[in-house]
Amino acid sequence: MNSRLPSVSPAPAWHAALHLAFARTGERTVLRDNRHHGPLRVQKALYPEGEGVCQAIVLHPPSGIAGGDHLLISATVGAGAHAQLTTPGAGKWYRSGGPEASQRLELTVEEGAALEWLPQETIVFDGARARMETRVRLAADSRFIGWDILCLGRAAAGERFEHGRFDLLCRVERGGAPIWLERGGFDGADPMLASPAGWAGHGVGGTLLCAFPDLPRQAAGLLEALRAIAPGDGASHGITALPGVLVARYLGDNSEAARLWFARLWQTLRPACCGRPAVPPRIWNT
């Protein structure tokens, strides 16, 4: 008797969206709007340092992004409000059988407002096919600190990014004019990953951006203080102030060292940018 195994359909792709809006009410920042579709959400507004700063932890219950998944996260911080967004753990881009996955981040910071985007690292599995886009729109007097740490392959498992495709876009604009624009893309085992002009054979790269109206006046003092802080693993790094934005770069092989270095830079930058001492999110310790 002949028999045939039943066909197995691929798991359905997730199309998820999260829309957040923060507003200032008196001396308090409130999460005025919290709408989601699919597996993206914020469970509640948190106030670990008082009512002036509203912290939101962005949850993605599947814990990873697979081929064909498309995620949209948008957040608007209203005039005079202060919001801080972070994540509970590392993001993961899984191996794809063909379809591209994507994540789009749309951040708007209105007059006199402040936004901190402080996610934990993103791990790109070998064979992933993915695209990440980040767009930040700042008003003339708003403030922003944000970072991203990208890990190519799972170093602890001896995995390198040798197959697949990854594309990146990051645009920060103030008053409609770009102050930071970066676009890149590479295939698995792309020669640029080994080139001294690219990743130089390393597997972890990170960028921190900070923009606030008083940056030009404070840039020299901040650069001196920040350049005295080095990554704990001795990785290649650099810090510079461009017109309108301060940029820090990490290039090495240790995502924890990159995150700890950015956190130390943030501790110096936050008082200058946001007028508040740095209070590390408790979720980073779990």
Side-chain angles (χ1 to χ4, degrees):
M1 184 175 83
N2 293 328
S3 64
R4 190 166 72 180
L5 292 173
S7 60
V8 178
S9 301
W14 289 112
H15 287 218
L18 176 66
H19 302 280
L20 306 174
F22 300 85
R24 180 170 177 172
T25 303
E27 297 300 313
R28 180 181 175 88
T29 294
V30 298
L31 180 55
R32 186 189 64 199
D33 193 13
N34 180 7
R35 295 178 291 117
H36 68 89
H37 168 76
L40 268 177
R41 63 197 62 198
V42 165
Q43 290 183 325
K44 64 184 296 186
L46 303 173
Y47 294 90
E49 54 184 295
E51 295 187 343
V53 181
C54 183
Q55 183 189 88
I57 299 173
V58 178
L59 303 175
H60 181 230
S63 77
I65 304 174
D69 290 355
H70 298 286
L71 275 57
L72 167 64
I73 301 170
S74 72
T76 298
V77 185
H82 185 161
Q84 182 185 83
L85 305 180
T86 187
T87 59
K92 303 177 184 69
W93 294 85
Y94 294 137
R95 180 185 183 93
S96 171
E100 180 187 70
S102 71
Q103 175 183 286
R104 194 165 91 247
L105 186 65
E106 300 276 355
L107 305 175
T108 301
V109 192
E110 297 180 351
E111 294 80 2
L115 174 62
E116 300 171 88
W117 167 246
L118 310 175
Q120 300 198 49
E121 63 269 25
T122 296
I123 303 170
V124 183
F125 286 41
D126 184 34
R129 301 186 61 83
R131 174 168 43 88
M132 286 181 64
E133 295 185 9
T134 300
R135 298 177 185 269
V136 183
R137 298 176 178 86
L138 304 176
D141 61 348
S142 60
R143 293 151 286 152
F144 173 75
I145 304 177
W147 69 51
D148 276 301
I149 300 168
L150 193 63
C151 310
L152 301 183
R154 292 171 292 171
E159 178 186 276
R160 306 286 291 183
F161 186 66
E162 297 179 338
H163 309 88
R165 174 77 186 178
F166 208 86
D167 290 290
L168 295 146
L169 169 66
C170 179
R171 177 187 175 98
V172 182
E173 60 185 53
R174 187 180 290 282
I179 58 174
W180 177 259
L181 179 59
E182 182 173 37
R183 186 190 303 270
F186 45 84
D187 295 307
D190 192 308
M192 183 59 70
L193 298 178
S195 169
W199 285 64
H202 295 293
V204 179
T207 300
L208 179 152
L209 301 174
C210 179
F212 60 101
D214 201 35
L215 176 60
R217 188 180 66 83
Q218 298 192 42
L222 282 172
L223 287 175
E224 182 179 3
L226 295 170
R227 286 171 177 168
I229 305 169
D233 63 342
S236 298
H237 61 284
I239 305 173
T240 190
L242 302 174
V245 62
L246 185 145
V247 184
R249 296 277 211 181
Y250 171 95
L251 184 61
D253 296 290
N254 190 316
S255 61
E256 183 179 9
R259 181 164 46 84
L260 291 175
W261 182 55
F262 279 177
R264 292 181 65 198
L265 299 181
W266 170 73
Q267 289 177 337
T268 295
L269 284 168
R270 196 187 198 226
C273 177
C274 302
R276 291 180 176 272
V279 179
R282 292 178 62 184
I283 193 70
W284 292 354
N285 298 322
T286 60

